[in-house]
Amino acid sequence: MLDKNGIAKRIAQEVEDGYYVNLGIGIPTLVANYVRDDISVEFQSENGILGMGPFPIDGEEDADLINAGKQTITALPGASYFDSATSFAMIRGKHVDLTILGAMEVAENGDIANWKIPGKMVKGMGGAMDLVASAENIIVAMMHTNREGESKLLKKCSLPLTGVGCVKKIVTNLAVLEVTKDGFLLLERAPGVSVEEIKAATEGNLIVKGEVLEMSI
Amino acid sequence: MLDKNGIAKRIAQEVEDGYYVNLGIGIPTLVANYVRDDISVEFQSENGILGMGPFPIDGEEDADLINAGKQTITALPGASYFDSATSFAMIRGKHVDLTILGAMEVAENGDIANWKIPGKMVKGMGGAMDLVASAENIIVAMMHTNREGESKLLKKCSLPLTGVGCVKKIVTNLAVLEVTKDGFLLLERAPGVSVEEIKAATEGNLIVKGEVLEMSI
Amino acid sequence: MIRKTVANVTDALAGVKDGMTFMLGGFGLCGIPENAISELVRLGVNDITCISNNAGVDDFGLGLLLQQHQIKKMISSYVGENDEFERQMLSGELEVELTPQGTLAEKCRAAQGGFPAFFTPAGYGTEVAEGKEVREFNGKMYILEEAFKADFAFVKAWKGDAAGNLIFKGTARNFNPCMCGAATITVAEVEELVPEGELDPNQIHIPGIFVQRIFQGKDYEKRIEQRTVRQK
Amino acid sequence: MIRKTVANVTDALAGVKDGMTFMLGGFGLCGIPENAISELVRLGVNDITCISNNAGVDDFGLGLLLQQHQIKKMISSYVGENDEFERQMLSGELEVELTPQGTLAEKCRAAQGGFPAFFTPAGYGTEVAEGKEVREFNGKMYILEEAFKADFAFVKAWKGDAAGNLIFKGTARNFNPCMCGAATITVAEVEELVPEGELDPNQIHIPGIFVQRIFQGKDYEKRIEQRTVRQK
């Protein structure tokens, strides 16, 4: 089974040379730490920076330089700053190659819910609705089940949707899955996790074809 | 009767303190020369400058600094450059206070035609259609009649329109007129021009109320 | 040059009234108009609608207005950092309209640029699309969103001049430029009001035509919401 | 950093074919991609559609492509400076779509920003509105305009870096930024390609994400169309 850093590490393998990548808050933010350093990648943060670098060295934080998670960051050579309208022109205009974000629920048809629990919690969608409606390449980073052990990979989302039929790939603590027209296709198992355990943790239709290899991270 | 500079001089009186003004090609360009220097005015040129100054001193022309008429210009302190989308955001968003442009024909309902003579001449509308569709305060600078002596202030435009019901005021070589719901209201006569002469040169409905004073320029 | 300078925040906010709609720049606490917010608290204007990407934190930014119950309605994309906000919202005291962040930015820009409406894919198939026109273009679904209408826009810039020209800094730029000229009156507060002619006309982010009033702000706290660092 | 640098104009225009649609920056002869235009003449690509505010003059700018009859269709706002253009248009050799200048700019920006369509008042009640949806918002009439689609955008900037970041100069900026990222491939030619990290990230007009290829241009003539001066 993977921890959050493990999920981030596995997702980092999906990042290719020349990609502009938008990382959501939470596990996705960790992905930047694990991208191979022999490829060229630029991170976009929707609050207005392209070419985002690591956190600043202690004492060098700049209140005017944060990421979408409101964390202090740095800018790499070749970076640029821009306004919010331009930032979403990048996103809506499909100039960002890969979007990695978290989810509360994903459905077997690719629907995603991650912004609201009616009557309980309303954080808002932030940039997620623009991202999922626009991006062609969306990877969801999430735990396979909630704290009560209930599956978050569902036949149908129960929470208000963030976007419809948009998720392409999911990396959880248990598995890597692709969203196909027939449901969740199991691509890889997390180390030490059996196909049966993944089946048990997946409410939506899980497709298992042939032998499913353990992921290498 | 006024010459082109006379028309420009009269229009300059319409420019008020704090106005952002867009000047069209031709006579309107001359208006800048006659604006009182005790008021603050900024000229916008739709190719991307606010705070346009006079023509450069001989030898100081910059190929990267022109107005919408493609003439070399200068920039005054407080000027800014911007792209075409931003420029028309200023225009469409009603941030420009006064638009002065030329016309081939104006109709008594405020329609204007100035971009095309079917089968003969097609220069294009440039920014004129955006300007007339957006501006709340449009003054047309034009000759009252064409070379054949025919009126250019018509009941109805014969040429393809640039905009509908948008012209508020017209300054010609013969008169100053306001477009009202009943037609062209004669406000002022050019020096030495009689009301009868103006009537004879105006095809559209001309409204004459009381004594019409000669303009002072 | 048309001068936009006013003496202080009080003059800058002249005309602000109960029941008005305000736009406020900033992302989280980054690039927020601190002086304008303080003055709104001092003035005690009530029943206001705020268009702002976030709602501040409990004791800073728009949270200060929430504490005083001055806000009737918030239009935001993300409000997850503010407990008082969540309390007022869940109890029904506060009306909330959540809007996708890119749509929020573009609704500002539409108001700035004279566009009444535009089509965007964000929110299609979700609650956000309810009651809105939906249309297909080239095989993809979009919803029609309308421009915002606001009485005042309060923005914060790094440098500005008497002509109202603005330059922002780093990611403190965010929504601020989009809101300039998007309300009837745009008020810009700047960290540094420079002498006229000092800003390079080629490097101005927002031309002065989009700004009605500008003033030298003071006492900026520029609080950091999530201080994250690494070791050398 | 993702590198966009190519060695020369020939590499920059790889993939250009007959029948394609190109966007070309510039206003009059100011800020036009001179190197790309020369290469298009040299390559002799035919039946092209050009989206460009103007059509150059008889012997410079897009006029060079008109001379060789390479252009099938022009989409512009103003073409009054070119006799050969007028001759080809009136004779029917050249297809012409005249578009209001602000609409032209926004159709580029819509393509850049993923908006399929927008409402604008420009052209309402005129030939431009024919066949287009018309709608009233707040008592005013607007027409629906759609985003452009193009294969290549050729733009000219003042300075650029390997990441594709661009800075324009003076009014040579015009349509160039609007066209970046508005076509499948955006090719930027620059007067000065600077070492990476030299451009201030706060002063970049177009972030490199909107540019696929960048090269150091050469032999710029930068012809002035209307030299107007005053005496000292």
Side-chain angles (χ1 to χ4, degrees):
Chain A
M1 201 183 302
L2 302 178
D3 61 5
K4 289 181 178 186
N5 280 292
I7 294 174
K9 220 163 167 177
R10 175 60 191 83
I11 290 178
Q13 296 174 10
E14 304 287 319
V15 179
E16 295 183 18
D17 189 34
Y19 268 14
Y20 292 100
V21 182
N22 180 290
L23 301 176
I25 299 172
I27 302 174
T29 303
L30 302 172
V31 173
N33 301 332
Y34 301 108
V35 173
R36 285 160 48 193
D37 55 12
D38 62 337
I39 60 174
S40 295
V41 171
E42 286 187 32
F43 293 103
Q44 194 252 20
S45 195
E46 66 266 26
N47 58 314
I49 175 173
L50 189 70
M52 183 167 47
F55 297 139
I57 289 168
D58 200 349
E60 296 184 2
E61 313 91 84
D62 178 354
D64 292 329
L65 196 44
I66 64 168
N67 65 15
K70 282 91 175 178
Q71 297 171 306
T72 43
I73 52 161
T74 56
L76 297 173
S80 55
Y81 307 125
F82 36 84
D83 66 53
S84 300
T86 303
S87 181
F88 283 89
M90 295 177 188
I91 290 167
R92 206 185 300 99
K94 299 185 188 300
H95 305 288
V96 173
D97 300 291
L98 176 62
T99 291
I100 303 168
L101 77 175
M104 297 172 183
E105 297 179 347
V106 173
E108 61 186 42
N109 69 346
D111 289 357
I112 177 173
N114 71 353
W115 70 286
K116 185 179 182 181
I117 304 173
K120 259 178 82 179
M121 186 282 289
V122 188
K123 294 203 176 301
M125 66 292 280
M129 281 195 183
D130 304 89
L131 282 159
V132 301
S134 308
E136 312 226 297
N137 195 359
I138 299 172
I139 301 179
V140 167
M142 68 193 292
M143 292 294 152
H144 213 101
T145 54
N146 64 18
R147 283 174 203 169
E148 287 73 41
E150 297 162 338
S151 180
K152 295 166 73 173
L153 281 72
L154 307 172
K155 288 196 181 310
K156 201 170 176 310
C157 290
S158 67
L159 296 173
L161 296 183
T162 307
V164 294
C166 51
V167 177
K168 297 282 176 290
K169 202 172 245 184
I170 306 159
V171 179
T172 75
N173 51 331
L174 304 184
V176 179
L177 309 103
E178 190 184 326
V179 176
T180 69
K181 63 177 173 36
D182 301 314
F184 301 112
L185 175 64
L186 182 58
L187 297 179
E188 298 172 19
R189 296 175 291 114
V193 177
S194 70
V195 170
E196 283 62 39
E197 285 172 283
I198 297 165
K199 259 188 191 159
T202 307
E203 187 217 89
N205 190 35
L206 185 78
I207 304 164
V208 183
K209 282 189 186 164
E211 193 191 357
V212 178
L213 296 178
E214 200 173 280
M215 61 180 84
S216 61
I217 53 168
Chain B
M1 199 183 301
L2 302 178
D3 61 4
K4 289 182 177 185
N5 279 293
I7 295 174
K9 220 163 165 177
R10 176 59 192 81
I11 290 178
Q13 296 174 10
E14 304 287 319
V15 178
E16 296 181 18
D17 189 35
Y19 268 15
Y20 292 99
V21 182
N22 179 288
L23 301 176
I25 300 173
I27 303 175
T29 303
L30 303 172
V31 173
N33 301 331
Y34 300 108
V35 173
R36 285 161 48 193
D37 54 13
D38 62 336
I39 61 174
S40 295
V41 170
E42 286 188 33
F43 293 103
Q44 193 250 22
S45 195
E46 66 265 27
N47 58 313
I49 176 174
L50 189 70
M52 181 168 46
F55 297 138
I57 288 169
D58 200 351
E60 296 184 1
E61 313 91 82
D62 178 354
D64 292 329
L65 195 44
I66 64 169
N67 64 16
K70 283 89 177 178
Q71 297 170 306
T72 44
I73 52 160
T74 55
L76 297 174
S80 56
Y81 307 123
F82 37 83
D83 66 52
S84 300
T86 304
S87 182
F88 283 90
M90 295 178 188
I91 290 167
R92 207 184 301 97
K94 299 185 189 302
H95 306 288
V96 173
D97 300 290
L98 175 62
T99 291
I100 303 170
L101 78 174
M104 296 172 184
E105 297 178 347
V106 173
E108 61 186 43
N109 68 346
D111 288 358
I112 178 172
N114 71 354
W115 69 286
K116 184 179 183 181
I117 304 175
K120 259 177 84 179
M121 186 282 289
V122 188
K123 294 203 177 299
M125 66 291 281
M129 282 195 182
D130 304 270
L131 282 159
V132 302
S134 308
E136 312 226 298
N137 194 358
I138 299 172
I139 300 179
V140 168
M142 67 192 294
M143 292 294 151
H144 214 102
T145 55
N146 65 18
R147 283 176 202 168
E148 288 72 41
E150 296 162 338
S151 179
K152 295 164 74 172
L153 281 72
L154 308 172
K155 288 196 181 309
K156 200 172 178 307
C157 290
S158 66
L159 297 172
L161 297 183
T162 306
V164 294
C166 50
V167 177
K168 296 284 176 288
K169 203 172 245 186
I170 306 159
V171 178
T172 75
N173 51 329
L174 305 184
V176 180
L177 310 103
E178 191 186 326
V179 177
T180 69
K181 64 177 172 35
D182 301 314
F184 300 111
L185 175 64
L186 183 58
L187 297 180
E188 299 172 19
R189 296 174 292 113
V193 176
S194 70
V195 170
E196 285 62 39
E197 285 173 284
I198 297 166
K199 261 189 191 159
T202 307
E203 189 217 87
N205 189 37
L206 185 78
I207 303 163
V208 183
K209 282 189 185 164
E211 195 191 356
V212 179
L213 297 178
E214 198 173 283
M215 63 181 84
S216 61
I217 55 170
Chain C
M1 194 178 71
I2 303 171
R3 285 170 192 285
K4 309 294 176 67
T5 322
V6 294
N8 52 44
V9 68
T10 305
D11 289 358
L13 267 68
V16 159
K17 290 200 191 86
D18 288 356
M20 279 187 164
T21 297
F22 303 142
M23 291 178 163
L24 297 107
F27 187 99
L29 302 179
C30 183
I32 59 173
E34 295 186 20
N35 284 224
I37 293 170
S38 299
E39 182 68 6
L40 288 171
V41 170
R42 197 188 67 81
L43 289 169
V45 282
N46 282 312
D47 293 320
I48 58 178
T49 296
C50 290
I51 299 168
S52 178
N53 188 58
N54 310 90
V57 294
D58 284 318
D59 64 342
F60 200 59
L62 287 184
L64 299 172
L65 291 167
L66 284 165
Q67 274 181 8
Q68 307 299 320
H69 300 269
Q70 292 175 259
I71 303 179
K72 182 184 70 175
K73 180 178 179 181
M74 277 294 313
I75 301 176
S76 303
S77 88
Y78 192 82
V79 292
E81 290 97 356
N82 191 318
D83 294 335
E84 173 64 13
F85 183 98
E86 197 157 17
R87 197 197 59 70
Q88 289 189 24
M89 174 172 58
L90 293 174
S91 73
E93 281 169 74
L94 182 68
E95 199 181 333
V96 177
E97 185 178 316
L98 289 164
T99 302
Q101 194 173 135
T103 300
L104 189 77
E106 196 65 18
K107 282 165 77 86
C108 293
R109 187 184 172 274
Q112 176 191 70
F115 298 102
F118 57 92
F119 284 97
T120 176
Y124 169 72
T126 76
E127 282 184 18
V128 165
E130 280 170 23
K132 290 175 188 161
E133 178 178 333
V134 167
R135 194 183 296 196
E136 186 178 327
F137 291 93
N138 308 310
K140 189 174 163 84
M141 301 306 291
Y142 295 84
I143 64 178
L144 186 68
E145 293 279 3
E146 297 199 359
F148 280 131
K149 281 182 190 49
D151 299 295
F152 278 83
F154 300 114
V155 305
K156 153 81 194 314
W158 179 36
K159 293 183 182 178
D161 66 13
N165 293 310
L166 303 178
I167 296 179
F168 304 90
K169 181 157 164 273
T171 58
R173 193 182 315 187
N174 56 63
F175 283 84
N176 286 297
C178 311
M179 289 175 173
C180 291
T184 308
I185 294 175
T186 297
V187 175
E189 57 185 81
V190 296
E191 287 184 58
E192 197 184 337
L193 192 63
V194 308
E196 63 181 82
E198 191 171 290
L199 300 179
D200 179 346
N202 212 39
Q203 289 169 1
I204 286 164
H205 294 141
I206 279 292
I209 194 172
F210 292 118
V211 174
Q212 277 67 49
R213 302 173 190 169
I214 187 168
F215 69 99
Q216 170 71 59
K218 59 180 186 183
D219 303 333
Y220 284 106
E221 179 177 337
K222 297 178 71 167
R223 195 189 290 187
I224 291 175
E225 211 164 331
Q226 302 283 344
R227 190 178 300 272
T228 48
V229 296
R230 68 191 148 107
Q231 299 312 315
K232 230 180 260 195
Chain D
M1 195 179 69
I2 302 172
R3 287 172 189 283
K4 308 294 177 70
T5 323
V6 295
N8 51 44
V9 69
T10 305
D11 288 359
L13 268 68
V16 158
K17 290 201 190 86
D18 289 355
M20 280 187 164
T21 297
F22 302 142
M23 291 178 163
L24 297 108
F27 186 99
L29 302 179
C30 182
I32 59 173
E34 295 186 20
N35 284 224
I37 293 171
S38 299
E39 182 68 6
L40 288 171
V41 171
R42 196 188 70 79
L43 290 169
V45 282
N46 283 312
D47 293 319
I48 58 179
T49 295
C50 290
I51 299 168
S52 179
N53 189 56
N54 310 90
V57 294
D58 284 319
D59 64 342
F60 200 60
L62 286 184
L64 299 170
L65 291 167
L66 283 165
Q67 273 181 8
Q68 307 298 320
H69 300 269
Q70 293 175 259
I71 303 179
K72 183 183 69 175
K73 181 178 179 180
M74 277 293 312
I75 301 175
S76 303
S77 87
Y78 192 82
V79 293
E81 291 97 355
N82 191 317
D83 294 336
E84 174 64 12
F85 182 97
E86 197 156 17
R87 197 196 60 69
Q88 289 189 22
M89 174 173 55
L90 293 174
S91 74
E93 280 170 76
L94 181 67
E95 198 181 334
V96 178
E97 185 177 316
L98 288 165
T99 301
Q101 196 174 131
T103 301
L104 189 77
E106 196 65 19
K107 281 165 76 86
C108 293
R109 187 185 172 274
Q112 176 190 71
F115 298 102
F118 57 92
F119 285 97
T120 177
Y124 169 71
T126 76
E127 282 184 20
V128 166
E130 281 170 20
K132 290 173 187 160
E133 178 177 334
V134 168
R135 193 184 297 197
E136 186 178 328
F137 291 92
N138 307 310
K140 190 176 161 83
M141 302 304 293
Y142 295 84
I143 64 178
L144 185 69
E145 293 280 1
E146 297 198 0
F148 280 131
K149 281 184 187 52
D151 299 295
F152 279 83
F154 300 114
V155 304
K156 153 81 193 314
W158 178 36
K159 292 183 182 179
D161 66 13
N165 293 311
L166 303 178
I167 296 178
F168 304 89
K169 181 158 163 275
T171 58
R173 194 184 312 187
N174 55 64
F175 283 84
N176 285 298
C178 310
M179 290 176 172
C180 291
T184 307
I185 295 175
T186 297
V187 176
E189 56 185 82
V190 296
E191 286 183 57
E192 198 184 336
L193 192 63
V194 307
E196 66 182 80
E198 191 170 292
L199 300 180
D200 179 347
N202 213 38
Q203 290 170 1
I204 286 164
H205 294 141
I206 280 291
I209 194 172
F210 293 118
V211 173
Q212 277 67 49
R213 302 174 190 169
I214 187 169
F215 70 99
Q216 169 71 59
K218 58 179 186 182
D219 303 332
Y220 284 106
E221 180 177 335
K222 297 178 71 165
R223 194 189 289 188
I224 292 176
E225 212 165 331
Q226 303 282 345
R227 189 178 300 272
T228 48
V229 296
R230 69 190 149 108
Q231 299 312 314
K232 233 183 257 194

